[in-house]
Amino acid sequence: VESLGVKIEPRQSVADDEAVAKTPIELVMLARVSGNAPAVIVLKNQMDGATTELRIDPKLAKPGERQLLAEWAASRTRALPVGDEPFTSTILSHWLKQLPVLYGWPDQGFIPNRGTLRGNTTSVLHVLGGRAAIQETLQLQNIGADQNASTDDSGIPIDQIPGVEVKSHPFEEMLGGKEGGRIPLAEMVPEDRLFVYFPKPSGLLSWLDGGAEFLFNTGAAATGRCLDYGLTDRYTTALGMDIDWMRRLLDSGAVEELAVTMPDLFLIDGTEITTVARLKNPNIAAGLFKLLGIGDLDKPVERPGAHGESSHWVKRGDLLIVSTDKRELENVLKLHADGGKGSLGRSAELRFMLTKLPLQDTTRAFVYLSDPFIRRLVGPETKIPQLRRLRARGEMEAIAAGSLLHRFDGHGEATMEELLAKHYVSKPVIATDAVFDPECGAISKQFGPLPRMKSLTDLGITTATKLESDAYLRYLDNYNRYWRQYFDPIALRLDQPETGTLELSVFILPLIDNSIYNGLRGILVDENDDTPLKVPVIEPEPVATLSMNLNEKAWTDAGGDALERFMMQAGIHGSILDSLGPDVHLAIADADPILEMGSGELMHAFGPMFNDNDMMAIAGIISMFTRPTAVCVGLTDPEAVRRALDNSVGGRSRMMGDEINGNLYKITDRGGWIYRINFFDMISLRLGIDIQDRFLVIRNMPLTTPFRIVGVKDAGLPGAGITLSPRACRMQLPALFASAAERERAAALSGIADLHPLMLTGSKSLGEAAERHKAWFGFRPLHPGGGEWTWNGVTMASTRYGTAQRPMQPDYQAEDRDFGPLRRVDTVEVGMRFELDGLRSVARWKMRTTAK
């Protein structure tokens, strides 16, 4: 610049260093100190770590105006653990709702965005495994109603509100005069109760400690939380037992078989449980009863329990019956006295369903949701009381959270009157008698204590408001339109065919209309087609394989004008269409994916599904461009296809004029063909085409990725199947680890949101805060994935996942394989078929016996 005499002039003004250094910072503080001691505040520059110390004289503090107080409250709120991650903290949700009311500032921007994908989604695994069908049938979503409406105008008898009116199956006719299956203990169970049967209870605890881990892991993955509700302790205590005593009873061999029954599925909110056990050795059982201080059980005995609750015990012959509710016990005793007349066990429904899903020597558990039980579950006698209890729970949670906010604002412990007067809590309209309680957060004589609310049976709600009735009728109208002809029961059977292997069979009859299954029903073989689904055995083992037996219409549609025109333009002889099918398989090889489908976990390898099947096709297309993928199509005449491909070699095919073109050539050394597609002379895609065994194989990376079909196995059920092989994952492990860590991070940060307010309001340790949260709200957050929470007096953080404002997660360690919902799982195999307008599915998972 100097030698050329060039002068450089700035085109924009540059502030001097001194002006930049003096950027003003405004602090808004609330003075609560007494005396003349100055307050010392240290400001830290997060960019370079530099600190500045300020000394504030409290004598200069003056009463602030309303607007100044609002600015202070808003600034303080931004320091709460609320980041971009969604959270479900009961306490913080109430605080963020109530603080604008208290201090008068707009509440926009403080609640994280909770946007979701369009519509309801599920995974291919859950569809083929039957979970999606169960969710569709039960429709457990809560009915909506005006949350501010009271129940003062309750006057509509619930038993006069219509329920589900869809017909039941003619099960007696379907039995055709045959007896059907039988479970004697089911003859002690009312028809409209959930029935859970354990034919070998002595092994119950051992398999719960083993392979059943997969069931619980997948359940936790679905909720995205890591919480301890203590349900086992809660309900064994409610039954007048403890875990150690129950374990001794089951391990002693005194119990031959065991059944559990419930009037609903609301274990967390509160329900009644009744157990019926057949005693194989009454003498051993009698000795164990003495440990509990129980003697003669020929007459019902009421056993006092914790929190003022009681359980009810009685023996009838070799049957021991224990219930948390006297009325439920009396229902069982009446059925026993009547010889099982009118019971679930005597119903034609259960006897028929047991012919479709009979018990086996390997059966560990059988769960049955009868037609009357599901009607009860979705009927007004359950839906309306549950709605009212949920609204009461919300009001009582607000009372507990409001008392903590009162303390956070520098006040002491408050009475209910003070909380209402100062607007920390809105007046309850459902739990009108609820008050703050320092032991359990909030308590209502009508609804019980917040962490242990009364069951729907105990609430005894018999009338509804017009708003509640209208809300239920809207729900009912939406529910009824799904059913074509008959209502359905659900049966599930859990087997342990060998050590370390569990198998869950599901039979649902029928499926609802307008179902996510409708698209599959239109393309898969029906129950009259016995063509087995033959799955290729591939080496190296794929990490995920999706298989389907397509019906004739699906193949006809696929071989219509569009596909035939494409093959003609591609230069491939159209005669091969006559030899395709009926099966098609999509196999995904181990690789580190560039794009992930769904959550990125192996369980969602084929992407999310909506009320159509487009996402499976999209998953296959994306896989073709992101990782080694093979499509294997069954062939009826492999040699005819081989000749057609040989005759198609050579020449140049054109699609869309000259912009996209391709050519097919043969590989001389190992056989097979390569089809190269050229896009605009810029991008090339090479597809390997081969015939192995009875399959036409199309691969996206034919030159670098080994692939060999070494055999064929039967999928078990002929409709469709999916196989996941965590043991085959090597290169994909870092991506799977990252996905699992992201879920665990969300759970850890949600736990911070739960516990942080309790640390701000007097808890001396994080352990004490967790216990306090369980005592008030009914559950204790747990830190997932190793690591722990820390508290520095101001901020709560996770040593593994950071804070809400500064999240982090660990890097993958090559030796770590035990993470995510499939940890310690070798393989998961799921098969399904449509049957009797319903669905049968079988899921088998094999656990790793040793760590790798």
Side-chain angles (χ1 to χ4, degrees), residues 555 579-581 583-585 631-635 694-698:
W555 280 112
S579 298
L580 300 182
D583 53 316
V584 61
H585 314 267
V631 176
C632 303
V633 183
L635 298 176
R694 53 168 292 271
F695 298 98
L696 174 67
V697 180
I698 303 172

Side-chain angles (χ1 to χ4, degrees), residues 118-137 139 482 484 511-524 607-616 832 834 839:
R118 61 178 178 93
N120 294 323
T121 68
T122 186
S123 70
V124 177
L125 181 69
H126 290 160
V127 170
L128 301 189
R131 176 174 173 174
I134 294 174
Q135 290 175 326
E136 287 184 331
T137 298
Q139 294 288 303
Y482 283 133
R484 294 187 299 273
L511 293 172
I512 68 173
D513 202 3
N514 194 30
S515 166
I516 198 170
Y517 291 89
N518 280 1
L520 282 177
R521 192 189 297 275
I523 64 174
L524 298 181
M609 286 189 67
F610 303 90
N611 278 352
D612 53 53
N613 300 301
D614 294 341
M615 290 306 297
M616 284 194 288
M832 62 83 68
F834 294 110
L839 172 75

Side-chain angles (χ1 to χ4, degrees), residues 81 85 226 740-756 759 766 781-810:
E85 299 274 3
C226 191
E742 287 163 3
R743 279 184 172 267
E744 289 179 349
R745 186 186 72 215
L749 298 185
S750 288
I752 288 177
D754 288 327
L755 299 181
H756 186 274
M759 295 304 297
L766 290 169
L782 301 177
H783 194 292
E788 60 183 2
W789 288 307
T790 62
W791 174 257
N792 63 8
V794 177
T795 304
M796 187 174 168
S798 164
T799 57
R800 193 173 174 88
Y801 298 108
T803 66
Q805 289 82 7
R806 295 178 177 274
M808 63 183 190
Q809 65 187 49

Side-chain angles (χ1 to χ4, degrees), residues 81-104:
V82 179
D84 292 332
E85 299 274 3
F87 75 97
T88 56
S89 167
T90 299
I91 302 172
L92 285 187
S93 294
H94 176 77
W95 284 16
L96 295 175
K97 177 182 176 182
Q98 206 66 22
L99 280 169
V101 177
L102 288 168
Y103 296 112

Side-chain angles (χ1 to χ4, degrees), residues 92-365:
L92 285 187
S93 294
H94 176 77
W95 284 16
L96 295 175
K97 177 182 176 182
Q98 206 66 22
L99 280 169
V101 177
L102 288 168
Y103 296 112
W105 91 86
D107 62 348
Q108 289 85 1
F110 294 101
I111 299 179
N113 180 11
R114 303 186 187 190
T116 58
L117 288 171
R118 61 178 178 93
N120 294 323
T121 68
T122 186
S123 70
V124 177
L125 181 69
H126 290 160
V127 170
L128 301 189
R131 176 174 173 174
I134 294 174
Q135 290 175 326
E136 287 184 331
T137 298
L138 297 182
Q139 294 288 303
L140 288 180
Q141 72 271 19
N142 303 313
I143 60 176
D146 184 355
Q147 297 301 304
N148 297 316
S150 72
T151 58
D152 293 341
D153 63 339
S154 297
I156 302 175
I158 289 179
D159 60 8
Q160 293 182 15
I161 299 174
V164 177
E165 298 175 352
V166 182
K167 292 191 300 183
S168 298
H169 273 79
F171 289 107
E172 199 69 64
E173 294 179 19
M174 295 166 72
L175 280 169
K178 297 181 180 179
E179 178 63 22
R182 182 170 180 257
I183 300 177
L185 283 191
E187 296 175 14
M188 302 296 102
V189 178
E191 282 188 291
D192 62 349
R193 296 298 190 266
L194 173 73
F195 177 63
V196 184
Y197 175 63
F198 301 98
K200 298 179 180 179
S202 59
L204 173 62
L205 297 175
S206 62
W207 75 257
L208 279 175
D209 294 336
E213 178 187 16
F214 170 68
L215 290 176
F216 302 118
N217 289 343
T218 53
T223 63
R225 298 298 311 274
C226 191
L227 307 174
D228 172 24
Y229 283 95
L231 294 181
T232 303
D233 287 335
R234 175 178 170 181
Y235 284 104
T236 52
T237 300
L239 288 167
M241 311 174 191
D242 60 53
I243 294 294
D244 291 337
W245 186 89
M246 184 181 73
R247 189 179 292 272
R248 290 180 66 177
L249 176 68
L250 297 180
D251 286 344
S252 70
V255 179
E256 182 177 357
E257 55 180 343
L258 174 69
V260 178
T261 177
M262 294 182 288
D264 56 57
L265 297 175
F266 304 123
L267 280 165
I268 292 176
D269 294 330
T271 190
E272 306 292 355
I273 286 188
T274 302
T275 65
V276 183
R278 189 178 304 279
L279 300 177
K280 181 168 58 177
N281 193 324
N283 293 329
I284 293 178
L288 291 171
F289 295 156
K290 289 181 181 179
L291 295 177
L292 296 178
I294 298 175
D296 184 17
L297 287 174
D298 291 337
K299 295 182 179 180
V301 172
E302 184 173 348
R303 177 173 167 77
H307 311 297
E309 299 170 338
S310 59
S311 56
H312 306 269
W313 297 55
V314 69
K315 275 184 62 181
R316 288 292 182 267
D318 61 351
L319 297 179
L320 171 66
I321 308 163
V322 184
S323 181
T324 59
D325 184 78
K326 186 177 181 180
R327 290 155 296 188
E328 293 290 307
L329 179 74
E330 290 171 349
N331 289 338
V332 174
L333 291 178
K334 185 178 186 307
L335 289 172
H336 182 271
D338 293 342
K341 183 180 179 181
S343 69
L344 175 66
R346 290 290 183 90
S347 69
E349 174 191 327
L350 179 60
R351 290 186 287 119
F352 173 80
M353 292 292 281
L354 283 171
T355 66
K356 294 298 181 180
L357 202 64
L359 301 184
Q360 303 179 146
D361 290 339
T362 58
T363 299
R364 295 294 175 263

Side-chain angles (χ1 to χ4, degrees), residues 699-779:
R699 295 189 290 145
N700 62 345
M701 298 181 67
L703 304 178
T704 58
T705 305
F707 182 95
R708 190 162 61 100
I709 294 178
V710 296
V712 178
K713 64 179 181 180
D714 195 328
L717 293 176
I722 184 172
T723 300
L724 305 178
S725 300
R727 67 186 178 192
C729 294
R730 295 291 185 275
M731 292 181 286
Q732 191 172 346
L733 282 176
L736 295 176
F737 177 84
S739 175
E742 287 163 3
R743 279 184 172 267
E744 289 179 349
R745 186 186 72 215
L749 298 185
S750 288
I752 288 177
D754 288 327
L755 299 181
H756 186 274
L758 294 168
M759 295 304 297
L760 294 173
T761 54
S763 293
K764 296 182 176 60
S765 67
L766 290 169
E768 180 183 312
E771 291 302 322
R772 190 174 165 203
H773 196 283
K774 185 174 183 181
W776 279 25
F777 299 100
F779 67 90

